[in-house]
Amino acid sequence: MNEFHFSFVDLLLSGLRLSTPLLFAALGGLLSERAGVANIALEGFLLVGAFSAAAVTYLSGNPWIGLSGALAAGAMIGLIFAMLTVYAKADHIVMGTALNLFVVGALPLFNKIFFGVTGSTPSLELDQRLSVWFLFFVAVALSPLIWFFLHKVPFGYHLRSSGENIEASKSLGISVKRTRLIAVILAGMVTALGGAFLSIAHGSQFSRGMSAGRGFIALAALILAGWRPIPVILTCILFGLADAAQIVLQSYPLPDGSTLPVQWIQMFPYIVTLVVLVGFVGKTEPPQAIAKND
Amino acid sequence: MSSLILEAKGITKRFGNVVANDRVDLSIREGEIHAIIGENGAGKSTLMKILYGMIAPDEGQLLVRGKSVHFESPLDALSLGIGMVHQHFMLVERMTVLENFILGSEPTINGIVDEKSALQDLKNLMLEAHTELPSSSLVKFLSVGQQQRLEILKLLYRKSDILIFDEPTGVLTPQEVDQFLKSLRDLKARGKTILLITHKLNEVMAVADQVTVMRAGKTVSSLAASSTDVKELATLLVGREVRAFDERKVKSVKKLSGAPVLKVESLSGVKKLKSVSFQINPGEILGIAGIEGNGQHELVQMLSGVKVHSHSQGASIQFLNMKIDQWNVEKRKAAGMACIPEDRHHEGLILDFNLVENFYLGSRVHFDIPTLLPFKEVTALVEKSISDFEIKAKSPFSKARELSGGNQQKVIVARELFGRPKLLIAAQPTRGVDIGAIERIHDELLKRAEEGMAILLISSELDEILSLSDRVLVIRNGEISAEFSDVAVQGPDLRYEIGRAMV
Ligand SMILES: Nc1ncnc2c1ncn2[C@@H]1O[C@H](COP(=O)(O)OP(=O)(O)OP(=O)(O)O)[C@@H](O)[C@H]1O
Ligand SMILES: [Mg+2]
């Protein structure tokens, strides 16, 4: 017989923690999409961040160096995505899908090269990991910072106008391509922090598929928040709570003492995502020039 | 007179095998208002885009203040003081007035946008230009006239002293046009040089010092405005005589019998429209006059079926005695309604589709197999439209985007008339269309009306209303504020009264 302990506070805390990677990814997506680059490659960005953070932390023994490694790798993958979409003018959605597939295929190879196995990086010691709450507060603090960046800094103006009206931006001498390139590199860096959360704060290693669709859930949170940096905190927490509830429900006892099949319960966050998307897509307005190439 | 500030010599620009500009020469003197007129597709916009550095000429030379220049981008032109207000505004709709004002040239303190000084600059310029805009409102909430004024302020902020306007008055209300023309004179008084493209010859006569006429990619003549008149300009422009806009070509007033084609009863919308009722008889042209933004758009959307509402009590739309309130666009079209929407780019055409595709999409219901594209048939129809309406297009497979503004409009008119509709809703049917083509479209509308087609003509152009309508309703604040019958007989005498009912 299962003993079931349920504490609302625990659920809440766990939800907040789990919202962290979503928030990083959603903010990354925001930077990219507000600049006009549709970004379904967030999933790949997360995995790259997770792997590089874990690998560099293990090799250096220092999570801060690991975090820097994640930022650098995030910038790299952002650069690649920007080259494909902004400069090679490929379709953003097709390229996002391709990049995700590429990352899923390439990371085990890197893992094999560095650590001899394809599945996961070696486990980190407890003192080699970062505080979950530290990263949570970084993510939350980043939101108003990005708002400020978008609304008070010239580059933020250019970023928004590039995502809204390409012709108008160009007529004012703004280089839409360069602006988007920088925005997507920043998106890669921010999202990679979410990956680092998964592998060196919340978890203790990188393992295959550990992002578990969070890049896409973050995208849903972004849409729900109308691509705005402050509301996105709340929508990410909503999805974080859904994720936490899923974990709690896994041990929820049914009257006969058994539990619900895990597979069903694990669907919960995704079902929430689906419901939200069906209900809200089209109700919030995306940047007008999203996915359009200059 | 003063010196030449801007010169174009032998400018040629080709798009594929279309020669948009063919060895064009143009001389602009400092401090003058220089009008450039010409038929749709004559190459006016192309020439302006070259002067502004938006596109590069294939051949020819540009001189600014006597020095030969070469523009890589609009920025180069801007740095020499050349700025342009485009036919379609270059504003970011979801940014504020202030943000748009400084976009691309933001003043900063320590890397942060100095909103205070920007706001001060905006206020100063607004004061100088006698205009007032809400600085923190999003541009999408501005009226078209306000957006245009913002565009002008943007140029002034960037210290442009050669201002290019491409069809600036096409989208303005009569009041706004007056205000705009006045602001042009103001700008001139402040030493600015102005290039003005327009299809409206009375505007040319009202403000211009010099007029250059373009035809088929060439400049055919350039003359002082004081030495010419509307009639001469019209003849130069079209290459033949045209009847003046206010000379009404009287439709044989033949009363067609039969039930009303359209009967609208206490129709209300969600935005503007308030309990509007009217009916149109076969063969009748009912004009809806009014300043834009008083509910016309909603009326068109509800009549054409783009928006279907059933909330208001007692409201009904009857078409040929059928209650069509809940019908969708397709069903209404199939029953014999057609619509020329006011915004050709958003509602009339898919710019990246070619003419055949655009034609078919809008007239799909009139073909036997409404799911398969009857390719040959539609291509032939488009070819016929091209010759009937003198549409300047490379081929039926040109993308809509590649046509000049006025020619895009003609494609829509041809398409909507094709199905022999019993009712045509025509919203601003001749916006941006040259005078020769206006005559062509007006003749066609009158002919169809004589054959029994009813027309609901929505136009902010009072001349157009007066020269076509049998009866006129004035719409104000979403309500019908006045009705005038026998317009054909009283004609121009009603101008003043109608104008008064509009405000
Ligand atoms: N991007 C383009 N691709 C192909 N053809 C083009 C393009 N832009 C313009 N043209 C063609 O060049 C010719 C001149 O066009 P332009 O827009 O300069 O005419 P316009 O005088 O401004 O006409 P309107 O009064 O209708 O605006 C037209 O035949 C048009 O179809
Ligand atoms: Mg034009």
Side-chain angles (χ1 to χ4, degrees), chain A residues 15 18 237-247 265 268-270 272-273:
Chain A
L18 287 170
I237 289 177
L238 171 77
F239 286 112
L241 284 172
D243 206 1
Q246 169 254 127
I247 295 167
I265 292 168
F268 186 63
Y270 306 99
V272 172
T273 309

Side-chain angles (χ1 to χ4, degrees), chain A residues 159-222:
Chain A
L159 190 154
R160 284 185 291 142
S161 76
S162 298
E164 292 286 336
N165 190 333
I166 296 170
E167 287 266 293
S169 305
K170 284 169 74 177
S171 82
L172 295 166
I174 295 167
S175 165
V176 172
K177 288 200 178 79
R178 205 180 57 104
T179 307
R180 288 179 166 183
L181 170 72
I182 296 170
V184 176
I185 290 175
L186 290 175
M189 294 169 74
V190 172
T191 310
L193 292 177
F197 172 92
L198 293 174
S199 66
I200 66 171
H202 192 257
S204 58
Q205 61 179 178
F206 162 81
S207 58
R208 278 168 98 157
M210 78 183 308
S211 55
R214 286 189 176 87
F216 294 101
I217 296 180
L219 213 51
L222 183 62

Side-chain angles (χ1 to χ4, degrees), chain B residues 57-309:
Chain B
D58 298 327
E59 287 158 33
Q61 196 187 13
L62 292 179
L63 294 119
V64 178
R65 296 182 187 85
K67 281 202 199 76
S68 174
V69 292
H70 180 75
F71 296 147
E72 293 283 340
S73 80
L75 215 52
D76 296 341
L78 213 52
S79 69
L80 287 173
I82 304 174
M84 174 154 169
V85 174
H86 295 260
Q87 208 165 346
H88 303 105
F89 298 146
M90 294 291 175
L91 294 170
V92 184
E93 291 202 333
R94 297 203 302 168
M95 287 173 81
T96 67
V97 168
L98 187 64
E99 287 172 339
N100 270 279
F101 178 64
I102 54 175
L103 185 63
S105 331
E106 303 85 358
T108 55
I109 299 178
N110 300 328
I112 290 169
V113 176
D114 184 359
E115 287 175 5
K116 258 206 195 114
S117 85
L119 188 61
Q120 198 51 52
D121 286 343
L122 176 62
K123 283 193 169 144
N124 291 343
L125 282 175
M126 288 199 294
L127 218 60
E128 280 177 40
H130 311 291
T131 177
E132 188 78 49
L133 297 175
S135 62
S136 57
S137 117
L138 293 184
V139 164
K140 69 172 177 181
F141 296 122
L142 299 188
S143 73
V144 180
Q146 288 177 314
Q147 296 192 5
Q148 185 175 60
R149 274 173 267 149
L150 176 56
E151 283 281 41
I152 298 174
L153 293 172
K154 268 168 65 182
L155 295 186
L156 296 178
Y157 177 69
R158 286 162 182 76
K159 309 242 178 307
S160 307
D161 39 33
I162 304 173
L163 309 182
I164 303 172
F165 292 90
D166 193 350
E167 290 190 43
T169 56
V171 291
L172 299 184
T173 66
Q175 282 81 348
E176 285 173 332
V177 170
D178 289 344
Q179 194 183 0
F180 171 74
L181 295 178
K182 190 176 154 296
S183 68
L184 285 191
R185 289 193 208 97
D186 278 355
L187 289 169
K188 180 185 158 184
R190 290 166 58 191
K192 308 283 182 190
T193 306
I194 288 158
L195 270 78
L196 172 69
I197 298 182
T198 180
H199 288 295
K200 302 198 181 120
L201 301 179
N202 51 352
E203 290 170 7
V204 174
M205 296 312 295
V207 294
D209 302 301
Q210 187 76 18
V211 189
T212 294
V213 184
M214 289 187 74
R215 199 187 309 145
K218 295 192 174 73
T219 37
V220 290
S221 57
S222 189
L223 44 159
S226 53
S227 69
T228 183
D229 58 28
V230 171
K231 209 135 194 127
E232 186 189 9
L233 289 179
T235 311
L236 276 172
L237 200 131
V238 186
R240 63 179 162 83
E241 281 214 29
V242 270
R243 106 182 153 253
F245 209 47
D246 48 10
E247 277 172 45
R248 187 183 169 99
K249 187 177 165 193
V250 182
K251 168 176 86 151
S252 53
V253 194
K254 168 179 69 175
K255 272 279 162 271
L256 283 152
S257 54
V261 176
L262 182 76
K263 207 166 151 192
V264 176
E265 269 168 47
S266 48
L267 186 66
S268 298
V270 285
K271 285 202 209 114
K272 271 272 163 70
L273 216 56
K274 280 184 259 162
S275 190
V276 167
S277 306
F278 59 85
Q279 63 176 53
I280 314 177
N281 296 316
E284 186 181 33
I285 303 183
L286 175 66
I288 305 267
I291 298 169
E292 247 179 287
N294 273 279
Q296 293 96 323
H297 187 65
E298 202 167 26
L299 179 65
V300 171
Q301 288 195 319
M302 292 181 79
L303 291 182
S304 62
V306 173
K307 285 238 165 79
V308 177
H309 292 297

Side-chain angles (χ1 to χ4, degrees), chain B residues 39-46 48-49 87-88 166-167 197 199 344 403-406 432:
Chain B
E39 289 182 274
N40 295 133
K44 306 178 295 292
S45 294
T46 304
M48 294 307 116
K49 285 180 189 159
Q87 208 165 346
H88 303 105
D166 193 350
E167 290 190 43
I197 298 182
H199 288 295
R344 57 183 167 242
L403 266 59
S404 78

Side-chain angles (χ1 to χ4, degrees), chain B residues 13-21 36-49 55 87 166-167 197-199 214 216-217 344 391-394 398-410 432-434:
Chain B
K13 176 72 196 177
R14 298 180 200 88
F15 293 107
N17 50 17
V18 176
V19 188
N21 281 174
I36 294 168
I37 59 174
E39 289 182 274
N40 295 133
K44 306 178 295 292
S45 294
T46 304
L47 180 61
M48 294 307 116
K49 285 180 189 159
I55 52 181
Q87 208 165 346
D166 193 350
E167 290 190 43
I197 298 182
T198 180
H199 288 295
M214 289 187 74
R344 57 183 167 242
I391 296 169
K392 293 196 183 73
K394 249 184 288 178
S398 303
K399 282 186 182 174
R401 188 182 293 288
E402 292 166 6
L403 266 59
S404 78
N407 283 301
Q408 292 172 348
Q409 185 69 15
K410 290 196 249 176
V433 174
D434 69 56

